[in-house]
Amino acid sequence: MQRIKIDRNKCIGCLTCVTACVVSHESCDARNRVTIDSGRKAAPIFCRHCDRPECVYTCMTGAMKKNSETGFVEYDKDHCASCYMCIMACPYGVLKSDHITHKEIMKCNMCIHRTEDGSPKPMCVEKCPMQAITLGEVE
Amino acid sequence: MKYVILGSSAAGLNAARELRKYDQEGEIVLISKDIYVYSRCILHHYLGGTRNLAQLNFVESDFEQRYRINWKKGLAGEKLDCGNKQLLLSDGTREGYDKLLIATGSHNFMPPIPGLDKANNAYGLRDFEDVEQIKAAAAKAKNPIVLGAGLVGVDTLSGLMHMGKKCVLVEMADRLLSKQLDKRAAGAYEKAFEREGNKFYFSTGVKELYLDSEDRIKKVALSTGEELPCDLLVISAGVRANVEFLKGSEVETDRFGLLIDETGRTNAADVFGAGDVTGRTPIWSAAVKEGLTAAANMAGVPRKMTDYFAFKSTMNFMGIATMSLGNCEAPDDTYQIEIEDDGTNYKKVIHKDGQIYGAILQGDLSYAGIMTQLIANKIDASKVKKPLFKVDYSDFFHIKNNFEFYYDKSEEDTYE
């Protein structure tokens, strides 16, 4: 499957990826984040579309599910009950709800909505000026 | 290979899907009392009319065909014969198995209140049939009472409210959701519900039910001596594991429920268990993971389930979101408590020597999954030079070869 590779040492914390995410989804919130650790070093925190996705295991509606073909963890906002269990379950603190209606979970979809065939085309990767995030194939 | 799964909820269906992943050829028979796929955790949305039956489905709509599952609906296991590897079913037929998964869940506990055994307008909220009955009864009810203010009780209350009902809720503890919330966090919900015309009786029990000649509840007597009119009673006083059918078999149970090890095995050969039937970890994610673990082992793929932290929940009532993790009160005064409260956003963390034991977050829950991880895996957060509420993954950042994140266990150990 394809994942966004993060090279933390290249990240300068410019937040271009965060802006790109908001633009790509025409959203009021980003589905990724960059935080600063105790040593003042930037850390891009992006959904990993985990092999063992805790957000999927905890989803009691089936709105969050693992696509066995692409490996992506997909989210269906229309089926979601906004119970927030996925926010609690994500071990890396990637998820939150939108800040206006608090109904939709801000979940990375690898920007598959940007292509005809549903292949990934993450705008964050395209816009990163440092190539700190790149798209790569993994087992 | 013939796999038989008893129960079609979180554990059973996830196990069925996982079995098919590992075994393309094997026969999978699913046996359940339930005739529909529905998520129990959102039944109150059906009650409130915000979801229909199809919207309660938590798996693919073509689940049976897609995973080639022979689903026998409306049937229960009556007796298990481990020696002959056979189940006696409620229709009198027998079903043989090579590997069996018991994922029968639990049923409502009905407390010993005088009158309750005869009353025909008292229900629990557990199965789809329950919610249908409550919905029908509630349509005409003027004085609905909910007994028990745990998550299911408050779910019921919110469902009934969506039907336009004003309810009375009676609870033995001194507040709403006493297992999950402290006074401050519970108070936010209590006020919001009371504003809509609902009424709470805390530190109060139901002593007796008064029935009419048709065994319908007319009045309930409270432990305080007060009497309240009632034409619908919903009981949420906990659950008990569905293990009755195992009586007389060699499968071991205790006072909570079915006994399984971390691979999902029971003491009986080729008999596995998963989900609420164990009576130990009554949350959705535990049922799913136990189901996946048991399925893998049934198919011969070794896997262990070691995530025992089940004292966690989120809730979203009346537009107020809360996450509750671990202890919501400090066990004694050797623990430190941090509180932030601006009236809407309330945050409390209970910690000691760098380790967090419990947290309540009410209001904004953004990115709070990190807190679950810190508590569940006893990760030392004292190296993080930030307020506890602001801890994020950056201070634990690690990347695997496949670009997944992980927590460095060796690093954790050195901090212990």
Side-chain angles (χ1 to χ4, degrees):
Chain A
M1 68 174 283
Q2 297 211 286
R3 273 203 181 101
I4 294 171
K5 181 182 180 185
I6 302 168
D7 186 342
R8 189 184 180 185
N9 292 321
K10 287 185 181 166
C11 177
I12 55 169
C14 68
L15 304 185
T16 304
C17 55
V18 176
T19 310
C21 184
V22 170
V23 170
S24 171
H25 292 275
E26 297 178 39
S27 178
C28 295
D29 295 87
R31 288 149 171 79
N32 55 12
R33 62 193 301 227
V34 178
T35 65
I36 308 293
D37 73 8
S38 299
R40 307 205 166 237
K41 188 175 173 185
I45 299 178
F46 287 50
C47 174
R48 301 288 76 203
H49 297 268
C50 299
D51 293 348
R52 299 262 177 97
E54 291 289 336
C55 59
V56 172
Y57 297 158
T58 205
C59 181
M60 55 186 76
T61 62
M64 201 73 83
K65 50 184 181 289
K66 180 94 174 162
N67 183 318
S68 53
E69 276 154 37
T70 63
F72 299 153
V73 172
E74 298 169 349
Y75 167 70
D76 176 358
K77 69 171 194 273
D78 297 323
H79 199 59
C80 173
S82 312
C83 75
Y84 309 140
M85 286 294 281
C86 54
I87 297 179
M88 180 176 79
C90 175
Y92 314 107
V94 175
L95 300 176
K96 65 167 185 170
S97 64
D98 74 278
H99 80 281
I100 295 175
T101 68
H102 304 290
K103 287 215 177 332
E104 183 181 352
I105 302 302
M106 294 296 104
K107 170 72 182 69
C108 167
N109 73 342
M110 297 292 275
C111 286
I112 55 170
H113 62 281
R114 296 180 66 214
T115 58
E116 292 280 319
D117 62 354
S119 58
K121 199 183 180 212
M123 196 183 280
C124 53
V125 169
E126 286 178 6
K127 300 294 179 192
C128 176
M130 303 306 294
Q131 289 176 310
I133 44 174
T134 49
L135 201 57
E137 183 72 29
V138 290
E139 283 287 300
Chain B
M1 184 65 72
K2 181 177 175 184
Y3 306 97
V4 174
I5 299 171
L6 275 181
S8 63
S9 192
L13 295 190
N14 277 288
R17 193 196 277 127
E18 195 78 348
L19 277 173
R20 184 52 80 213
K21 186 168 120 190
Y22 290 121
D23 190 339
Q24 287 296 310
E25 308 303 319
E27 180 186 1
I28 302 175
V29 178
L30 177 68
I31 299 168
S32 69
K33 271 191 201 170
D34 287 322
I35 56 174
Y36 308 112
V37 177
Y38 60 93
S39 169
R40 291 186 152 70
C41 299
I42 48 173
L43 279 178
H44 57 292
H45 293 302
Y46 182 87
L47 179 62
T50 50
R51 271 176 197 253
N52 59 31
L53 178 58
Q55 290 166 323
L56 299 181
N57 187 348
F58 63 94
V59 297
E60 299 89 337
S61 53
D62 62 347
F63 191 83
E64 290 168 79
Q65 296 79 22
R66 183 185 290 227
Y67 301 108
R68 286 173 283 125
I69 287 159
N70 175 11
W71 187 10
K72 302 189 172 185
K73 302 171 188 180
L75 286 175
E78 296 266 293
K79 221 176 160 97
L80 175 59
D81 178 353
C82 297
N84 291 313
K85 289 195 160 186
Q86 259 189 0
L87 266 171
L88 175 67
L89 302 182
S90 50
D91 65 352
T93 60
R94 284 170 194 279
E95 189 76 46
Y97 63 86
D98 295 316
K99 308 266 181 193
L100 172 68
L101 177 67
I102 300 170
T104 47
S106 54
H107 60 273
N108 290 302
F109 169 65
M110 289 293 166
I113 301 168
L116 183 58
D117 51 342
K118 279 205 293 184
N120 56 24
N121 53 345
Y123 310 93
L125 178 62
R126 181 90 200 152
D127 301 326
F128 186 70
E129 292 68 39
D130 294 332
V131 75
E132 288 270 68
Q133 288 178 322
I134 295 171
K135 204 171 167 124
K140 293 167 283 178
K142 290 193 173 60
N143 299 300
I145 295 183
V146 178
L147 176 58
L151 280 169
V152 177
V154 180
D155 278 347
T156 308
L157 175 64
S158 85
L160 290 170
M161 262 185 55
H162 273 104
M163 292 182 75
K165 303 291 163 185
K166 291 178 173 42
C167 304
V168 165
L169 198 148
V170 181
E171 163 63 39
M172 288 295 284
D174 65 353
R175 61 186 186 274
L176 217 67
L177 300 155
S178 61
K179 285 199 180 108
Q180 289 85 13
L181 306 179
D182 62 4
K183 274 269 195 193
R184 162 65 183 85
Y189 287 114
E190 289 161 18
K191 275 187 223 114
F193 279 117
E194 281 167 347
R195 227 176 284 134
E196 297 297 315
N198 301 288
K199 204 170 169 193
F200 296 102
Y201 289 81
F202 292 118
S203 309
T204 304
V206 168
K207 201 170 61 183
E208 196 178 347
L209 307 178
Y210 298 113
L211 311 183
D212 66 11
S213 57
E214 288 163 357
D215 286 337
R216 295 184 55 80
I217 303 166
K218 286 284 146 200
K219 249 186 343 187
V220 306
L222 303 180
S223 56
T224 55
E226 197 173 340
E227 292 183 353
L228 302 175
C230 175
D231 50 10
L232 167 63
L233 182 65
V234 182
I235 311 256
S236 65
V239 295
R240 296 292 181 268
N242 287 328
V243 290
E244 299 85 353
F245 76 103
L246 295 173
K247 267 201 186 122
S249 79
E250 64 177 83
V251 177
E252 265 176 20
T253 59
D254 68 1
R255 66 194 176 94
F256 297 110
L258 181 65
L259 293 168
I260 59 170
D261 67 12
E262 56 193 7
T263 67
R265 286 181 174 83
T266 68
N267 65 305
D270 299 320
V271 180
F272 295 71
D276 285 9
V277 70
T278 66
R280 282 171 170 78
T281 47
I283 59 169
W284 185 271
S285 57
V288 170
K289 287 196 253 183
E290 286 170 6
L292 296 175
T293 303
N297 288 303
M298 288 166 80
V301 179
R303 197 190 287 181
K304 282 181 182 177
M305 152 93 180
T306 51
D307 175 11
Y308 296 113
F309 183 61
F311 227 86
K312 54 186 172 188
S313 49
T314 56
M315 59 200 79
N316 183 8
F317 300 115
M318 310 294 290
I320 304 169
T322 307
M323 179 179 303
S324 163
L325 301 162
N327 293 323
C328 62
E329 305 279 6
D332 59 57
D333 58 13
T334 65
Y335 292 80
Q336 281 177 284
I337 303 174
E338 313 290 330
I339 290 177
E340 260 183 35
D341 192 353
D342 68 6
T344 308
N345 290 292
Y346 170 63
K347 298 179 179 187
K348 169 169 146 181
V349 173
I350 295 161
H351 64 108
K352 183 172 162 175
D353 305 329
Q355 197 182 315
I356 303 170
Y357 291 85
I360 296 174
L361 306 176
Q362 189 168 68
D364 184 12
L365 306 185
S366 297
Y367 310 128
I370 193 92
M371 194 67 83
T372 316
Q373 198 65 18
L374 297 183
I375 297 175
N377 290 334
K378 303 186 172 64
I379 294 169
D380 189 338
S382 58
K383 68 164 179 175
V384 182
K385 304 293 173 249
K386 294 180 188 178
L388 276 178
F389 303 116
K390 303 253 190 278
V391 175
D392 61 57
Y393 183 64
S394 61
D395 279 296
F396 304 96
F397 196 94
H398 289 290
I399 289 188
K400 294 188 206 172
N401 290 337
N402 71 356
F403 310 160
E404 284 192 306
F405 289 144
Y406 70 100
Y407 285 85
D408 187 344
K409 299 288 181 212
S410 62
E411 193 176 333
E412 283 162 38
D413 291 339
T414 60
Y415 282 101
E416 268 174 14

